[in-house]
Amino acid sequence: MDRGVLEAVHAALLERHGPQHWWPADSAFEVIVGAILIQRTAWRNAELALARLRGAGALDPERLAASAPDEVAAWVRPAGFYRHKSVRLIAVSRWLQAAGGIAGVAGLADEALAASLRALPGIGDETADAISLYAFERPVFVIDAYARRLFARLGLIRGDEPYAELRAACESALARDAAYYNEYHALIVAHGKQYCRPRPRCTECVLAARCTVPRGGPFDLPARRR
DNA sequence: ACCCAGGGTCATA
DNA sequence: TATGACCATGGG
């Protein structure tokens, strides 16, 4: 991964889309809940689920930790996969409770935080990294489906590389800067939602000059490996 | 009627 | 190690 290219892509996306001010949440705990609810789901639906949790007074680790899975499932139903996500929310809430809340967890070193998150049910590489970056401001370059698709279409990667390999490639090419990674990932998603979808919509895409996609193509990623 | 969305886990070979 | 199946709602 070439530093100059990555920085040029960031600059082009920033100019086109402007600062994104991520993560759209009012607290670190809301970031964590949102990161689980958004898994393979449209943000609109995750927002509906968040609103229902808030309305029930359940957007709170103590409250969620003490709730029954069926009750939480009813609140988060609009986000889909609700039987899984309810269990995940309860588990992460109990972990927070046991570890001294957000303040306690915030004291962990980057690696310890990542390992703790990754050990929780339903928190994989990407969700753990998104929480590390957006809830705890750790310098982690998050690789999601949009990032993978964008970099593949720009010809920088194949697209089927393991998660850790892509993350390391980006982090070793760029300065370790949480604020920069925050903005970069948010821009990739903002851009991806508009243009870099499985069936590309390349009209007025600011990266068209660098893009290797056959215009109009269907062209999506190869299955990813681990 | 499809296609898509800011993944993760488990069974199988 | 590596594919496939499964989870599920809501909007375009």
Side-chain angles (χ1 to χ4, degrees):
Chain A
M1 297 281 263
D2 182 76
R3 173 172 185 159
V5 174
L6 288 180
E7 290 183 347
V9 168
H10 173 274
L13 293 180
L14 182 60
E15 184 178 0
R16 169 65 181 78
H17 298 278
Q20 299 298 304
H21 307 295
W22 269 27
W23 186 288
D26 294 332
S27 68
F29 184 65
E30 279 195 39
V31 175
I32 295 171
V33 172
I36 290 169
L37 292 176
I38 192 60
Q39 291 172 347
R40 198 64 183 178
T41 301
W43 176 249
R44 178 187 309 276
N45 288 357
E47 272 188 313
L48 289 174
L50 277 168
R52 289 165 62 108
L53 285 170
R54 193 176 293 111
L59 200 43
D60 170 79
E62 308 294 326
R63 185 69 194 284
L64 280 178
S67 298
D70 287 348
E71 190 178 15
V72 179
W75 290 327
V76 303
R77 191 174 147 249
F81 304 133
Y82 50 82
R83 287 188 183 84
H84 292 291
K85 288 177 180 177
S86 58
V87 170
R88 294 170 188 183
L89 292 177
I90 291 168
V92 77
S93 296
R94 290 184 175 166
W95 166 70
L96 273 175
Q97 208 172 29
I102 294 293
V105 169
L108 295 173
D110 295 355
E111 293 309 317
L113 175 62
S116 295
L117 286 169
R118 194 64 185 71
L120 289 167
I123 297 191
D125 290 330
E126 185 190 326
T127 304
D129 282 351
I131 291 172
S132 290
L133 176 62
Y134 289 106
F136 298 103
E137 291 150 14
R138 307 307 168 94
V140 167
F141 198 102
V142 178
I143 305 292
D144 66 346
Y146 284 123
R148 202 176 271 273
R149 196 181 293 140
L150 174 62
F151 293 147
R153 287 180 180 173
L154 294 177
L156 304 177
I157 62 175
R158 285 192 315 278
D160 66 346
E161 296 87 345
Y163 183 93
E165 182 180 329
L166 292 181
R167 175 187 155 181
C170 291
E171 291 180 0
S172 54
L174 296 166
R176 310 246 163 155
D177 181 339
Y180 186 75
Y181 292 169
N182 175 321
E183 190 73 76
Y184 206 145
H185 177 69
L187 285 167
I188 288 171
V189 175
H191 173 262
K193 283 179 175 175
Q194 285 192 51
Y195 305 111
C196 209
R197 299 162 62 93
R199 292 176 180 275
R201 305 183 152 199
C202 297
T203 313
E204 295 185 18
C205 172
V206 289
L207 299 177
R210 295 178 176 276
C211 192
T212 64
V213 174
R215 319 239 338 160
F219 172 86
D220 206 11
L221 294 169
R224 71 166 128 157
R225 296 181 300 151
R226 283 170 273 187

PDB file of all heavy atoms in Angstrom, chain A residues 104-127:
ATOM      1  N   GLY A 104     -13.173   2.505  33.342  1.00  0.00           N
ATOM      2  CA  GLY A 104     -12.245   1.420  33.649  1.00  0.00           C
ATOM      3  C   GLY A 104     -11.612   0.849  32.407  1.00  0.00           C
ATOM      4  O   GLY A 104     -10.393   0.648  32.336  1.00  0.00           O
ATOM      5  N   VAL A 105     -12.431   0.606  31.403  1.00  0.00           N
ATOM      6  CA  VAL A 105     -11.941   0.023  30.159  1.00  0.00           C
ATOM      7  C   VAL A 105     -11.028   0.998  29.411  1.00  0.00           C
ATOM      8  O   VAL A 105     -10.072   0.588  28.752  1.00  0.00           O
ATOM      9  CB  VAL A 105     -13.144  -0.385  29.281  1.00  0.00           C
ATOM     10  CG1 VAL A 105     -12.701  -0.747  27.896  1.00  0.00           C
ATOM     11  CG2 VAL A 105     -13.887  -1.532  29.938  1.00  0.00           C
ATOM     12  N   ALA A 106     -11.317   2.285  29.540  1.00  0.00           N
ATOM     13  CA  ALA A 106     -10.519   3.296  28.855  1.00  0.00           C
ATOM     14  C   ALA A 106      -9.079   3.317  29.347  1.00  0.00           C
ATOM     15  O   ALA A 106      -8.193   3.812  28.654  1.00  0.00           O
ATOM     16  CB  ALA A 106     -11.157   4.675  29.035  1.00  0.00           C
ATOM     17  N   GLY A 107      -8.851   2.752  30.528  1.00  0.00           N
ATOM     18  CA  GLY A 107      -7.498   2.714  31.068  1.00  0.00           C
ATOM     19  C   GLY A 107      -6.647   1.591  30.525  1.00  0.00           C
ATOM     20  O   GLY A 107      -5.443   1.551  30.761  1.00  0.00           O
ATOM     21  N   LEU A 108      -7.267   0.665  29.783  1.00  0.00           N
ATOM     22  CA  LEU A 108      -6.514  -0.453  29.216  1.00  0.00           C
ATOM     23  C   LEU A 108      -5.612   0.017  28.079  1.00  0.00           C
ATOM     24  O   LEU A 108      -5.947   0.942  27.349  1.00  0.00           O
ATOM     25  CB  LEU A 108      -7.479  -1.516  28.681  1.00  0.00           C
ATOM     26  CG  LEU A 108      -8.368  -2.238  29.710  1.00  0.00           C
ATOM     27  CD1 LEU A 108      -9.376  -3.134  29.004  1.00  0.00           C
ATOM     28  CD2 LEU A 108      -7.500  -3.044  30.671  1.00  0.00           C
ATOM     29  N   ALA A 109      -4.476  -0.661  27.945  1.00  0.00           N
ATOM     30  CA  ALA A 109      -3.593  -0.397  26.811  1.00  0.00           C
ATOM     31  C   ALA A 109      -4.266  -0.888  25.526  1.00  0.00           C
ATOM     32  O   ALA A 109      -5.167  -1.725  25.578  1.00  0.00           O
ATOM     33  CB  ALA A 109      -2.264  -1.105  27.012  1.00  0.00           C
ATOM     34  N   ASP A 110      -3.820  -0.377  24.388  1.00  0.00           N
ATOM     35  CA  ASP A 110      -4.441  -0.712  23.110  1.00  0.00           C
ATOM     36  C   ASP A 110      -4.619  -2.211  22.917  1.00  0.00           C
ATOM     37  O   ASP A 110      -5.702  -2.680  22.556  1.00  0.00           O
ATOM     38  CB  ASP A 110      -3.603  -0.164  21.947  1.00  0.00           C
ATOM     39  CG  ASP A 110      -3.558   1.360  21.932  1.00  0.00           C
ATOM     40  OD1 ASP A 110      -4.255   1.974  22.769  1.00  0.00           O
ATOM     41  OD2 ASP A 110      -2.838   1.918  21.102  1.00  0.00           O
ATOM     42  N   GLU A 111      -3.553  -2.952  23.144  1.00  0.00           N
ATOM     43  CA  GLU A 111      -3.591  -4.395  22.894  1.00  0.00           C
ATOM     44  C   GLU A 111      -4.516  -5.120  23.859  1.00  0.00           C
ATOM     45  O   GLU A 111      -5.238  -6.038  23.475  1.00  0.00           O
ATOM     46  CB  GLU A 111      -2.186  -4.988  22.986  1.00  0.00           C
ATOM     47  CG  GLU A 111      -1.248  -4.530  21.889  1.00  0.00           C
ATOM     48  CD  GLU A 111      -1.860  -4.695  20.503  1.00  0.00           C
ATOM     49  OE1 GLU A 111      -2.477  -5.749  20.237  1.00  0.00           O
ATOM     50  OE2 GLU A 111      -1.752  -3.767  19.689  1.00  0.00           O
ATOM     51  N   ALA A 112      -4.497  -4.701  25.132  1.00  0.00           N
ATOM     52  CA  ALA A 112      -5.354  -5.332  26.140  1.00  0.00           C
ATOM     53  C   ALA A 112      -6.823  -5.051  25.838  1.00  0.00           C
ATOM     54  O   ALA A 112      -7.681  -5.935  25.954  1.00  0.00           O
ATOM     55  CB  ALA A 112      -4.993  -4.823  27.531  1.00  0.00           C
ATOM     56  N   LEU A 113      -7.107  -3.836  25.431  1.00  0.00           N
ATOM     57  CA  LEU A 113      -8.476  -3.475  25.065  1.00  0.00           C
ATOM     58  C   LEU A 113      -8.949  -4.311  23.884  1.00  0.00           C
ATOM     59  O   LEU A 113     -10.046  -4.891  23.900  1.00  0.00           O
ATOM     60  CB  LEU A 113      -8.549  -1.987  24.714  1.00  0.00           C
ATOM     61  CG  LEU A 113      -9.890  -1.489  24.188  1.00  0.00           C
ATOM     62  CD1 LEU A 113     -10.986  -1.666  25.222  1.00  0.00           C
ATOM     63  CD2 LEU A 113      -9.785  -0.023  23.762  1.00  0.00           C
ATOM     64  N   ALA A 114      -8.091  -4.396  22.873  1.00  0.00           N
ATOM     65  CA  ALA A 114      -8.454  -5.167  21.674  1.00  0.00           C
ATOM     66  C   ALA A 114      -8.699  -6.633  22.016  1.00  0.00           C
ATOM     67  O   ALA A 114      -9.669  -7.232  21.550  1.00  0.00           O
ATOM     68  CB  ALA A 114      -7.352  -5.042  20.625  1.00  0.00           C
ATOM     69  N   ALA A 115      -7.847  -7.201  22.855  1.00  0.00           N
ATOM     70  CA  ALA A 115      -7.990  -8.617  23.207  1.00  0.00           C
ATOM     71  C   ALA A 115      -9.275  -8.853  23.992  1.00  0.00           C
ATOM     72  O   ALA A 115      -9.972  -9.848  23.771  1.00  0.00           O
ATOM     73  CB  ALA A 115      -6.773  -9.062  24.023  1.00  0.00           C
ATOM     74  N   SER A 116      -9.595  -7.933  24.906  1.00  0.00           N
ATOM     75  CA  SER A 116     -10.826  -8.075  25.690  1.00  0.00           C
ATOM     76  C   SER A 116     -12.055  -8.011  24.794  1.00  0.00           C
ATOM     77  O   SER A 116     -12.984  -8.801  24.932  1.00  0.00           O
ATOM     78  CB  SER A 116     -10.920  -6.978  26.745  1.00  0.00           C
ATOM     79  OG  SER A 116      -9.900  -7.114  27.696  1.00  0.00           O
ATOM     80  N   LEU A 117     -12.060  -7.055  23.903  1.00  0.00           N
ATOM     81  CA  LEU A 117     -13.203  -6.903  22.993  1.00  0.00           C
ATOM     82  C   LEU A 117     -13.343  -8.125  22.102  1.00  0.00           C
ATOM     83  O   LEU A 117     -14.425  -8.677  21.927  1.00  0.00           O
ATOM     84  CB  LEU A 117     -13.015  -5.657  22.116  1.00  0.00           C
ATOM     85  CG  LEU A 117     -13.226  -4.313  22.793  1.00  0.00           C
ATOM     86  CD1 LEU A 117     -12.739  -3.187  21.883  1.00  0.00           C
ATOM     87  CD2 LEU A 117     -14.692  -4.111  23.145  1.00  0.00           C
ATOM     88  N   ARG A 118     -12.216  -8.536  21.554  1.00  0.00           N
ATOM     89  CA  ARG A 118     -12.220  -9.639  20.594  1.00  0.00           C
ATOM     90  C   ARG A 118     -12.680 -10.949  21.229  1.00  0.00           C
ATOM     91  O   ARG A 118     -13.158 -11.837  20.545  1.00  0.00           O
ATOM     92  CB  ARG A 118     -10.813  -9.771  20.015  1.00  0.00           C
ATOM     93  CG  ARG A 118     -10.698 -10.619  18.787  1.00  0.00           C
ATOM     94  CD  ARG A 118     -11.469 -10.017  17.641  1.00  0.00           C
ATOM     95  NE  ARG A 118     -11.449 -10.914  16.488  1.00  0.00           N
ATOM     96  CZ  ARG A 118     -12.113 -12.063  16.425  1.00  0.00           C
ATOM     97  NH1 ARG A 118     -12.833 -12.441  17.450  1.00  0.00           N
ATOM     98  NH2 ARG A 118     -12.059 -12.807  15.337  1.00  0.00           N
ATOM     99  N   ALA A 119     -12.549 -11.044  22.556  1.00  0.00           N
ATOM    100  CA  ALA A 119     -12.947 -12.264  23.258  1.00  0.00           C
ATOM    101  C   ALA A 119     -14.450 -12.317  23.501  1.00  0.00           C
ATOM    102  O   ALA A 119     -14.981 -13.362  23.855  1.00  0.00           O
ATOM    103  CB  ALA A 119     -12.199 -12.362  24.585  1.00  0.00           C
ATOM    104  N   LEU A 120     -15.139 -11.200  23.324  1.00  0.00           N
ATOM    105  CA  LEU A 120     -16.585 -11.168  23.562  1.00  0.00           C
ATOM    106  C   LEU A 120     -17.330 -11.815  22.405  1.00  0.00           C
ATOM    107  O   LEU A 120     -16.869 -11.759  21.260  1.00  0.00           O
ATOM    108  CB  LEU A 120     -17.050  -9.719  23.730  1.00  0.00           C
ATOM    109  CG  LEU A 120     -16.608  -9.053  25.034  1.00  0.00           C
ATOM    110  CD1 LEU A 120     -16.842  -7.544  24.975  1.00  0.00           C
ATOM    111  CD2 LEU A 120     -17.321  -9.658  26.230  1.00  0.00           C
ATOM    112  N   PRO A 121     -18.485 -12.429  22.681  1.00  0.00           N
ATOM    113  CA  PRO A 121     -19.248 -13.089  21.619  1.00  0.00           C
ATOM    114  C   PRO A 121     -19.803 -12.074  20.621  1.00  0.00           C
ATOM    115  O   PRO A 121     -20.372 -11.062  21.017  1.00  0.00           O
ATOM    116  CB  PRO A 121     -20.382 -13.776  22.391  1.00  0.00           C
ATOM    117  CG  PRO A 121     -20.529 -12.993  23.647  1.00  0.00           C
ATOM    118  CD  PRO A 121     -19.140 -12.513  23.987  1.00  0.00           C
ATOM    119  N   GLY A 122     -19.602 -12.347  19.350  1.00  0.00           N
ATOM    120  CA  GLY A 122     -20.165 -11.491  18.313  1.00  0.00           C
ATOM    121  C   GLY A 122     -19.358 -10.246  18.031  1.00  0.00           C
ATOM    122  O   GLY A 122     -19.787  -9.390  17.270  1.00  0.00           O
ATOM    123  N   ILE A 123     -18.193 -10.114  18.651  1.00  0.00           N
ATOM    124  CA  ILE A 123     -17.295  -8.999  18.341  1.00  0.00           C
ATOM    125  C   ILE A 123     -16.074  -9.575  17.645  1.00  0.00           C
ATOM    126  O   ILE A 123     -15.204 -10.167  18.278  1.00  0.00           O
ATOM    127  CB  ILE A 123     -16.913  -8.204  19.593  1.00  0.00           C
ATOM    128  CG1 ILE A 123     -18.179  -7.568  20.184  1.00  0.00           C
ATOM    129  CG2 ILE A 123     -15.879  -7.139  19.250  1.00  0.00           C
ATOM    130  CD1 ILE A 123     -17.914  -6.558  21.268  1.00  0.00           C
ATOM    131  N   GLY A 124     -16.023  -9.411  16.344  1.00  0.00           N
ATOM    132  CA  GLY A 124     -14.921  -9.911  15.536  1.00  0.00           C
ATOM    133  C   GLY A 124     -13.891  -8.822  15.290  1.00  0.00           C
ATOM    134  O   GLY A 124     -13.888  -7.793  15.964  1.00  0.00           O
ATOM    135  N   ASP A 125     -13.032  -9.035  14.321  1.00  0.00           N
ATOM    136  CA  ASP A 125     -11.948  -8.092  14.036  1.00  0.00           C
ATOM    137  C   ASP A 125     -12.457  -6.679  13.786  1.00  0.00           C
ATOM    138  O   ASP A 125     -11.979  -5.713  14.358  1.00  0.00           O
ATOM    139  CB  ASP A 125     -11.173  -8.556  12.795  1.00  0.00           C
ATOM    140  CG  ASP A 125     -10.368  -9.814  13.061  1.00  0.00           C
ATOM    141  OD1 ASP A 125      -9.935 -10.008  14.206  1.00  0.00           O
ATOM    142  OD2 ASP A 125     -10.183 -10.604  12.112  1.00  0.00           O
ATOM    143  N   GLU A 126     -13.433  -6.567  12.903  1.00  0.00           N
ATOM    144  CA  GLU A 126     -13.852  -5.230  12.496  1.00  0.00           C
ATOM    145  C   GLU A 126     -14.593  -4.492  13.599  1.00  0.00           C
ATOM    146  O   GLU A 126     -14.336  -3.303  13.847  1.00  0.00           O
ATOM    147  CB  GLU A 126     -14.740  -5.310  11.250  1.00  0.00           C
ATOM    148  CG  GLU A 126     -15.066  -3.930  10.749  1.00  0.00           C
ATOM    149  CD  GLU A 126     -16.130  -3.950   9.663  1.00  0.00           C
ATOM    150  OE1 GLU A 126     -16.166  -4.910   8.868  1.00  0.00           O
ATOM    151  OE2 GLU A 126     -16.915  -2.998   9.614  1.00  0.00           O
ATOM    152  N   THR A 127     -15.501  -5.170  14.273  1.00  0.00           N
ATOM    153  CA  THR A 127     -16.258  -4.507  15.333  1.00  0.00           C
ATOM    154  C   THR A 127     -15.339  -4.097  16.475  1.00  0.00           C
ATOM    155  O   THR A 127     -15.467  -2.996  17.024  1.00  0.00           O
ATOM    156  CB  THR A 127     -17.384  -5.422  15.840  1.00  0.00           C
ATOM    157  OG1 THR A 127     -18.211  -5.807  14.733  1.00  0.00           O
ATOM    158  CG2 THR A 127     -18.250  -4.710  16.857  1.00  0.00           C
TER     159      THR A 127
END
